[in-house]
Amino acid sequence: MVQKYQSPVRVYKYPFELVMAAYEKRFPTCPQIPVFLGSEVLRESRSADGAVHVVERSCQLRVEAPRLLRKIAGVEHVVFVQRNVLNWKERTLLIDAHNETFASRVVVRENCSYTVHPENEDWTCFEQSASLDIRSFFGFENALEKIAMKQYTANIKRGKEVIEHYLNELISQGISHIPRWTPAPVREEDMRTQAAPWDPDPPEAGRCSSALGLAPETAAVDGDKLDVDYIERCLGQLTPMQESCLIQLRHWLQETHKGKIPKDGHILRFLRARDFHLDKARDMLRQSLSWRKQHQVDSLLQTWRPPALLEEFYAGGWHYQDIDGRPLYILRLGQMDTKGLMKAVGEEALLQHVLSVNEEGQKRCEGNTKQYGRPISSWTCLVDLEGLNMRHLWRPGVKALLRMIEVVEDNYPETLGRLLIVRAPRVFPVLWTLISPFINENTRQKFLIYSGSNYQGPGGLVDYLDKEVIPDFLGGECVCNVPEGGLVPRSLYLTEEEHERADQLRRWAETYHSASVLRGTPHEVAMEILEGESVITWDFDILRGDVVFSLYHAKHTPTLGPREHGARAGGQLVDKGWVLGTDYSRVEAPLVCREGESIQGSHVARWPGVYLLQWQMHGAPGSVACSLPGVDDVLTALHSPGPKCKLLYYYEVLTSKDFRGSMSSLESCTSGFSQLSAATSSSSSGQSHSSSLISR
């Protein structure tokens, strides 16, 4: 594989002639570059008028490689041939270099140019490109490639420092101006000599320009090029290879992309998301650009107008900036009725709103970069979980959240600089276990999570936000205009017909199982838990009638009929000879659920074994006290056309390994989560922890 390098434009704020005087001081030796052992002139020629000077040199470079590799190669230094074409009239220097040592095994080519700045004739621009093609090298191809690229990038930075060193040396010697070249008077008899070719091997204009992407006479800092000062000022400190990746990806877009070219900061995010692996970043960016075109995202901020209901009940908004100048977005997730919002505006509207937030975030980053005079490419999100409970585990809502995470990670990588989560309740680890596998590891490292009041005081929000911008609802003095959220009235829900048009009901139906419950005939779901400290979660809607929900643990496996992931379509799974308190026990207190209610809950299992989720019709008071019906009750129910209850349910088991693994990842990316972590650990190891919540 050929490795390529392309530099940004480096600007020396000195005239071309002075920069050339500094450049010549590098030869024949240069103590400032230790690997450069020396050089000798092989050929030299000048045009008749002295305007063009061509020099070909042989340069020796010391090999900085492990002793074993040097011994196998049998060399202590390598030879490069460098050809310089200096044109005083056009004020350009074109440099072409290639390796002579191991030329049949390794091919190294380098092209450089010094030209006059297009907007200031007293400044000089420098560009550099190179390629490395290792065909074979005694089985050490990968090692040689790493060594060569590391040494080359180090010399790039050193080369700039050397030119600046010699410029300062010239100025200290009182040489701050060198007159420009002027043609000498030419005698008539010399005209024929000048008209004839004077150089048997003239440089090809396209030889350097093909590598640099433009002809030498037009080499300039324009809209299609990036200069070092711009990168440092607007994009941040990048290594030479990172700069090269940015320029190459940008050049690929200019050649292949027919739509709007993304801004440099946006391109850089994709490179960072793929650790500057050029091919991977290109694929990711290509897919994202296709997605943006398909969904017309480029015009989203001009076309998207959130419904009034979203503006009132979506508890999120922008709020000044953090201590580093990043835009700050506040989301009061615990106060937000995610289920109500999805039923009132639909999943697609919520996704559009989330996308508009990300688009606005990028715009604000650009504004803050200009305001503060330093690169700001990401924003901070402060999430308040006060009020978070089991209703937020409503499965369509969780699935919608996962979808939004996937869309944002694929199309807005590296936009989140920091995520501050405060007032995390004990139910949060369950939600974290569900969503954390879908969050990129780099993103997870930016999470800071606090339980209780840990966010107050040193080590809390004051480390990341100025006191003047901490919201009043978190104990600060700043009035926050972010909506408070609250329950969305049922009267604002979309009708079933509107949901069907949006294909919403079908997607929700695919998530749930349906069941009917007759009087005296419970519906039970059996699941086998292989390890203690696993987490059982449930989510169900009562469509008709009232039911009593209970959770049991059995020491023995009941005889099951046809199973669907441990569930039976209906009927009683508990053997009729089992005795409550001996063969099985109740681990979740009976909960009466009314028609139209939605219930979400979880249970941290203490013991392995079989657990039963049970729904039975709510009737006489005894049905709550005694969860299991007798044989006579079942026979009566089977021969009676009594009322029937209907429900939709979903359940999931989070294994102990997954749950504890997510807790470990949670602890590793937090600074104030110890109390919540300890509480969760003690509840699962000392006693079973369970909870259910009726959310409507």
Side-chain angles (χ1 to χ4, degrees), residues 543-554:
L543 303 181
R544 182 191 302 170
D546 300 337
V547 301
V548 178
F549 171 73
S550 301
L551 177 65
Y552 296 91
H553 172 260

Side-chain angles (χ1 to χ4, degrees), residues 1 27 149 180 186 228 271 279 363 401 491 607 612 642:
M1 179 179 176
F27 304 101
M149 296 307 295
R180 296 184 187 180
V186 181
V228 173
L271 286 165
D279 291 338
K363 184 178 178 182
L401 176 61
S491 59
W607 313 280
L612 296 171

Side-chain angles (χ1 to χ4, degrees), residues 163-214:
I163 293 294
E164 291 175 342
H165 167 78
Y166 286 126
L167 283 168
N168 292 331
E169 184 178 280
L170 287 169
I171 294 172
S172 68
Q173 295 171 357
I175 304 174
S176 58
H177 175 73
I178 296 177
R180 296 184 187 180
W181 176 87
T182 55
V186 181
R187 293 177 302 175
E188 186 174 336
E189 57 267 26
D190 292 334
M191 292 296 291
R192 289 189 299 276
T193 305
Q194 294 185 34
W198 60 272
D199 185 1
D201 186 19
E204 299 176 18
R207 193 170 181 181
C208 184
S209 64
S210 63
L212 298 176
L214 73 171

Side-chain angles (χ1 to χ4, degrees), residues 111-263:
N111 301 96
C112 305
S113 70
Y114 288 87
T115 58
V116 177
H117 194 285
E119 297 178 2
N120 190 329
E121 62 180 14
D122 290 328
W123 290 358
T124 305
C125 296
F126 171 77
E127 284 188 87
Q128 180 177 11
S129 67
S131 64
L132 170 66
D133 183 8
I134 301 177
R135 296 168 182 174
S136 66
F137 201 78
F138 313 107
F140 289 90
E141 292 80 10
N142 291 335
L144 179 63
E145 180 180 301
K146 292 179 181 178
I147 292 170
M149 296 307 295
K150 180 179 179 181
Q151 185 169 327
Y152 187 75
T153 53
N155 290 337
I156 290 171
K157 182 179 180 181
R158 190 65 183 143
K160 176 186 177 183
E161 295 171 351
V162 169
I163 293 294
E164 291 175 342
H165 167 78
Y166 286 126
L167 283 168
N168 292 331
E169 184 178 280
L170 287 169
I171 294 172
S172 68
Q173 295 171 357
I175 304 174
S176 58
H177 175 73
I178 296 177
R180 296 184 187 180
W181 176 87
T182 55
V186 181
R187 293 177 302 175
E188 186 174 336
E189 57 267 26
D190 292 334
M191 292 296 291
R192 289 189 299 276
T193 305
Q194 294 185 34
W198 60 272
D199 185 1
D201 186 19
E204 299 176 18
R207 193 170 181 181
C208 184
S209 64
S210 63
L212 298 176
L214 73 171
E217 61 269 18
T218 62
V221 184
D222 54 32
D224 294 331
K225 287 179 170 281
L226 300 181
D227 68 84
V228 173
D229 290 341
Y230 162 78
I231 290 176
E232 292 180 355
R233 185 177 67 255
C234 299
L235 303 178
Q237 292 290 336
L238 301 178
T239 67
M241 292 310 298
Q242 289 173 346
E243 291 175 342
S244 175
C245 289
L246 173 61
I247 291 168
Q248 290 183 66
L249 186 53
R250 194 173 182 267
H251 184 63
W252 170 79
L253 283 170
Q254 291 168 343
E255 288 187 334
T256 62
H257 187 58
K258 296 181 180 180
K260 180 181 178 182
I261 301 294
K263 295 184 179 179

Side-chain angles (χ1 to χ4, degrees), residues 38 90 96 124 208 231 254 270 330 342-343 387 404 408 428 444 446 457 476 509 532 590 613 618 621 676 679:
E90 300 295 335
D96 181 8
T124 305
C208 184
I231 290 176
Q254 291 168 343
F270 285 85
I330 293 180
M342 283 188 63
K343 289 199 169 187
M404 293 174 192
V408 170
F428 177 67
R444 262 188 279 176
K446 301 170 184 177
L613 300 176
H618 176 58
L676 178 57

Side-chain angles (χ1 to χ4, degrees), residues 15-43:
F16 176 80
E17 290 73 20
L18 191 63
V19 173
M20 290 300 98
Y23 176 79
E24 286 299 321
K25 282 182 166 288
R26 296 177 51 173
F27 304 101
T29 61
C30 183
Q32 283 72 27
I33 306 180
V35 298
F36 184 63
L37 300 178
S39 64
E40 62 174 321
V41 176
L42 301 178
R43 282 177 289 275

